[in-house]
Amino acid sequence: MLRAVWTGLVGLVLAAAASCAEAQNLPDVAATSRFSGWTAAVIAADWRTSGGEPIQAFDNARRDLTAGFVDAGFDRAAFYDATLRPDVPDPVSARKALADVADLAQASTRGCLLYFTSHGSPEALVFGPDAELSPTAMATLVRGLCPSRPTIVIVSACYSGIFLDGLAGPDRMIMTAARRDRNSFGCGEGARYPYFDGCVIESLPDARDFIVLAQMTKACVGRREAEEGLSPASEPQIRIGANMQLLLPTLRFTRRGAGEKPGS
């Protein structure tokens, strides 16, 4: 059943990608931010503890990650955020979320930021109430959404290092919350955010670009886990393709005026 669900979802994204291939060849326009014309998405794909109890940590992260990235220079009009939890008014399905991101990617073709926060296993990422996203499906999904454009993919989940190899490429930067054989922390009752997401949120205001953000986030996670005696350490992973190593230092975050608040 899950295989059938993901076959349909990936087919939908690939069809949308084909329709926007011509748009990618349009001349670049002047940008007030280095991320003008980028598609961005943050999806909270689970809403439960490992025991099945509802929590707010993933949704809190979605909300504040979105605000933080918009504050760093991403265009709110080209930024999609959604929760896949079914216990809210007008719930968003996995299929609808990916269709919405695909639509957005047709119009904003200069680059992609895709951020997923959820539970994970050694085989897959939980993606809504009744689906999972395997490394193969994730690689196909990202290739369909963001073909041949600078792309940053961040996966916050236990065992999320399983996605590194399939997502790697010269035009990609990949960040994961943990090694392929390690848990990440902060997804229990009472947690404000998963620890990795909280460290991204904490680091964003002081990071000048994604390379520094990744380094600061990794140090933050390691420090917090050490302080709380959590073992084995999650060891967040970073992989940057050759083209992105050259491009990322030029993609500086752009800050709002001193008096403005994120999301205002």
Side-chain angles (χ1 to χ4, degrees):
M1 176 61 180
L2 292 181
R3 180 178 296 179
V5 169
W6 282 108
T7 298
L9 290 173
V10 170
L12 179 152
V13 171
L14 291 177
S19 71
C20 72
E22 183 177 348
Q24 283 187 261
N25 296 322
L26 292 175
D28 288 345
V29 296
T32 56
S33 163
R34 290 171 174 84
F35 298 101
S36 292
W38 279 54
T39 294
V42 177
I43 297 178
D46 206 352
W47 67 99
R48 300 162 288 194
T49 66
S50 57
E53 296 299 317
I55 55 171
Q56 290 298 123
F58 297 114
D59 284 312
N60 290 342
R62 171 188 58 83
R63 178 196 65 213
D64 293 343
L65 286 163
T66 299
F69 283 118
V70 169
D71 190 51
F74 283 86
D75 181 1
R76 189 64 180 94
F79 206 119
Y80 180 82
D81 70 288
T83 177
L84 302 187
R85 64 188 301 158
D87 58 345
V88 295
D90 301 317
V92 176
S93 68
R95 180 181 294 275
K96 177 66 162 60
L98 293 184
D100 288 345
V101 177
D103 287 343
L104 195 60
Q106 293 184 58
S108 301
T109 61
R110 291 171 62 92
C112 291
L113 167 64
L114 304 174
Y115 195 121
F116 306 95
T117 180
S118 186
H119 283 298
S121 74
E123 291 78 36
L125 181 80
V126 174
F127 207 77
D130 54 8
E132 293 181 331
L133 189 56
S134 71
T136 298
M138 174 75 87
T140 304
L141 176 69
V142 174
R143 186 168 60 248
L145 286 170
C146 307
S148 304
R149 65 184 78 169
T151 300
I152 297 159
V153 184
I154 304 175
V155 186
S156 175
C158 293
Y159 309 104
S160 46
I162 63 173
F163 296 103
L164 278 174
D165 290 342
L167 290 173
D171 297 305
R172 303 265 180 85
M173 175 181 181
I174 315 301
M175 295 172 58
T176 70
R179 274 175 27 175
R180 65 184 304 116
D181 59 346
R182 296 287 175 88
N183 286 304
S184 57
F185 299 98
C187 302
E189 280 188 82
R192 183 178 182 187
Y193 311 116
Y195 286 5
F196 179 85
D197 295 338
C199 282
V200 174
I201 292 165
E202 177 184 318
S203 301
L204 259 171
D206 296 317
R208 67 175 180 267
D209 57 39
F210 273 103
I211 295 176
V212 176
L213 176 64
Q215 295 167 342
M216 292 177 67
T217 298
K218 187 172 183 176
C220 171
V221 170
R223 182 174 63 251
R224 182 164 185 182
E225 291 176 353
E227 289 172 352
E228 298 187 21
L230 298 172
S231 181
S234 58
E235 296 189 19
Q237 301 291 295
I238 306 163
R239 188 170 297 180
I240 304 174
N243 294 341
M244 287 296 272
Q245 290 180 20
L246 298 174
L247 178 62
L248 284 170
T250 73
L251 295 173
R252 295 285 185 101
F253 295 139
T254 304
R255 304 298 175 189
R256 295 173 179 273
E260 294 186 74
K261 302 288 186 183
S264 62

